[in-house]
Amino acid sequence: MPRAASRQAPIPAEWTVREGRDAYLAENGFRVEDYDAPRTPASLLGVKFSVPNTAVHRRGIMQHDLHHVATGFGTDISGEGELSAWEARNGLRSLGAYVGSLVLTALGGGILFAPRRTLSAWQAGAQGRPLFDRDDTEYGAWLALTVGELREKLGIPRAGLAKQPRCLHSTAPVESP
């Protein structure tokens, strides 16, 4: 059972990246097994569907999820917009057309629904170093780092970037009281 993190603040810097990733996946109703599935679940405006899980898609999603852990941005429209602005600031070439278009779509949602937050994340991206252009064979090594160490490698402050509590996407599991 993964640790649960307070959504009021980014994942704690002293947790391992693996613990942070597992908590992120659990709070969003995602599973590690989805990374290797032939198709992965997706949703748009609350409508669930699946998409082919190509090698480029798999790598991009795994790295994108670690960006959520490091930055503290949520998975609602505003949070995805923030994260996508931070990622796009440094280029999306290695993601391929499909995953890159998902990031750009989320960036557009952020501009529409949370323009100030999205602009702030874009500006923070000037100091950032996303994982996208890195060798994905390093993924296991990233999981062994602390979240604070990953943030340092990515040019993110030790406390993360999010200034708002993490809100989740519309199909995330409902917390029990």
Side-chain angles (χ1 to χ4, degrees), residues 19-134:
E19 289 173 316
R21 183 215 49 199
D22 292 351
Y24 159 82
L25 292 175
E27 76 183 13
N28 282 284
F30 303 144
R31 304 170 317 134
V32 171
E33 296 81 17
D34 294 336
Y35 291 141
D36 294 319
R39 298 184 68 83
T40 59
S43 68
L44 180 63
L45 302 173
V47 178
K48 291 183 178 185
F49 55 97
S50 70
V51 295
N53 194 15
T54 65
V56 171
H57 179 263
R58 177 182 183 273
R59 180 175 51 84
I61 294 302
M62 291 170 69
Q63 293 170 346
H64 177 83
D65 289 351
L66 293 188
H67 291 161
H68 274 289
V69 170
T71 63
F73 295 139
T75 56
D76 64 329
I77 292 172
S78 299
E80 288 291 355
E82 287 174 298
L83 184 59
S84 294
W86 182 83
E87 291 172 336
R89 179 68 187 257
N90 292 282
L92 305 173
R93 287 181 309 277
S94 66
L95 292 181
Y98 175 70
V99 177
S101 69
L102 293 177
V103 171
L104 292 176
T105 300
L107 173 58
I111 290 168
L112 243 136
F113 292 99
R116 287 189 180 113
R117 288 170 54 183
T118 303
L119 177 61
S120 177
W122 175 267
Q123 291 168 334
Q127 308 304 315
R129 297 179 294 279
L131 298 170
F132 290 147
D133 290 329
R134 302 180 193 207

Side-chain angles (χ1 to χ4, degrees), residues 11-21 66 69 131 134 138-154 158:
I11 301 283
E14 61 276 0
W15 284 21
T16 67
V17 173
R18 181 182 305 278
E19 289 173 316
R21 183 215 49 199
L66 293 188
V69 170
L131 298 170
R134 302 180 193 207
E138 298 176 57
Y139 188 78
W142 298 332
L143 294 177
L145 298 172
T146 66
V147 172
E149 290 168 332
L150 179 64
R151 287 178 179 146
E152 185 178 324
K153 286 184 178 297
L154 299 180
R158 184 166 175 77

